[in-house]
Amino acid sequence: MGGKHKQAQRTKNNARPSSSCRSAELLGTTVPQFVGFSAMKESTAMSGFSLATDDMDASIDPNFQLVLKKMSKKDATTKSKALQEFTELIKTSDIEAVIAVLPFWPRLYCVLATDTDHKVREGTHIAHHQVVLKSKRNLAPYLKQFAGPWFTSQYDTYAPAASAATKSFQDAFPKNKIKEAIAYCQEEILSYIGENLTIHTSSTLSNPKITSPEDAEAKYQRVLISSLHGYTLYLQQLCTDEIEKQEELNMKIISDSKFWKFAKNKVLPIKSAWYCVISSICQKSPTFLKKEYAHIVGAVFSDLDESEPIVVQSLWEAILSVLSTIEEWWQYVNIDKLVFPKLWKLLKEGGFGNAYVIFPNLLPLISHLPPSIDQNSTFSLFFENMFKG
């Protein structure tokens, strides 16, 4: 009526239309501007949903209609078989039939990619790979809708699912365009990761009506692990200038108290993945951490005597990254009460069986000790405890 149109609300998992021309360039081809796709409003955080018949365009092949509905069932076996059928249909159908299905695939994919059943997740990424190969440039309008779950699923804890997700992601873009594609979708990727790390819980990621508490918790832990590793990959792939374009979203994650609690998480793969994130932030965008120096120094040195092999490697990478990033790091921690007692214990126990990982890092640690320490006393204790170990 002459006024400004209200901007459409953003939906969960960023299920919204994207610029198809720019997406098509990243997919390695060109495509006419796509018009007429409306974002799905159904929450993709909950597993278990329905696709009403009137949701589907009459032009969609009846075989696709049937298999899409099967995918929305609760039973894992039904979903897994439906995904296999869908994969074969994509392979054997003409491109027009596949294009007609594309508006409905993002909603399904984003839910099934984090399903509680590992075979369903694997089947989802295998199916998505075929969608990528078959649709090519026609996938462009939907690229950003897939970005978050697709990107982080490369670190699914079930190796075949992770491998299938990685294969589909790599095959979607020319090698020289992958980093550019990540940068193009980084808002969606960061929003998805941020929601998983700072907002969601085991009860919000799953539908309690159809998911047991045990499965819901397992899914939550799996999503946290893949999101943390996905965050590390994002930081490693992009240059500092690109990362800092999304400073607000990055800081929203880093400044959240829930983010820092992962340093003490009892699930070791979560803890290890968190330290990987810390190392990457230190290396790529250390300015993000300026207000969190006390948090980060306290976190890494509180775990100096960590003995679990799954955590030790990433912990020590984080320790050295922190030492290189934060000048006068000792201002944020009590060395005599925290650092030295844990270091002597570590040496006395021979690195708890992790000497091959820890001991090469001891010289860099020593080189960053504050100049105010009593060197004679400190190094005497250092070698005394090392000999005991």
Side-chain angles (χ1 to χ4, degrees), residues 227-242:
S227 294
L228 286 165
H229 280 303
Y231 195 14
T232 296
L233 179 62
Y234 157 80
L235 290 164
Q236 291 174 343
Q237 287 289 311
L238 298 189
C239 65
T240 299
D241 288 343
E242 279 293 344

Side-chain angles (χ1 to χ4, degrees), residues 292-309:
E292 306 294 341
Y293 280 175
H295 262 140
I296 190 172
V297 174
V300 298
F301 284 106
S302 291
D303 274 350
L304 189 61
D305 57 349
E306 175 63 60
S307 61
E308 292 292 343

Side-chain angles (χ1 to χ4, degrees), residues 149-156 161-163 165-167 169-170 226 233:
W150 191 9
F151 188 73
T152 58
S153 288
Q154 296 178 88
Y155 292 95
D156 191 300
S163 178
T166 300
K167 179 66 175 171
F169 195 84
Q170 291 177 344
S226 62
L233 179 62

Side-chain angles (χ1 to χ4, degrees), residues 12 43-49 111 203-208 210 219:
K12 271 204 172 179
S43 169
T44 54
M46 292 292 191
S47 60
F49 52 88
V111 174
S203 58
T204 61
L205 271 179
S206 300
N207 186 341
I210 61 172
K219 175 180 176 178

Side-chain angles (χ1 to χ4, degrees), residues 309-329:
I310 193 173
V311 178
V312 166
Q313 180 74 53
S314 56
L315 166 65
W316 276 88
E317 287 178 5
I319 289 173
L320 296 189
S321 296
V322 169
L323 293 176
S324 301
T325 300
I326 304 176
E327 294 183 7
E328 300 186 354
W329 58 269

Side-chain angles (χ1 to χ4, degrees), residues 32-53:
Q33 183 67 29
F34 180 88
V35 182
F37 175 71
S38 59
M40 303 296 184
K41 293 184 178 180
E42 183 146 359
S43 169
T44 54
M46 292 292 191
S47 60
F49 52 88
S50 61
L51 281 171
T53 306

Side-chain angles (χ1 to χ4, degrees), residues 228-229 232 235-236 271-281 314 317-318:
L228 286 165
H229 280 303
T232 296
L235 290 164
Q236 291 174 343
K271 192 175 183 179
S272 177
W274 184 81
Y275 279 122
C276 291
V277 172
I278 294 301
S279 297
S280 297
I281 297 174
S314 56
E317 287 178 5

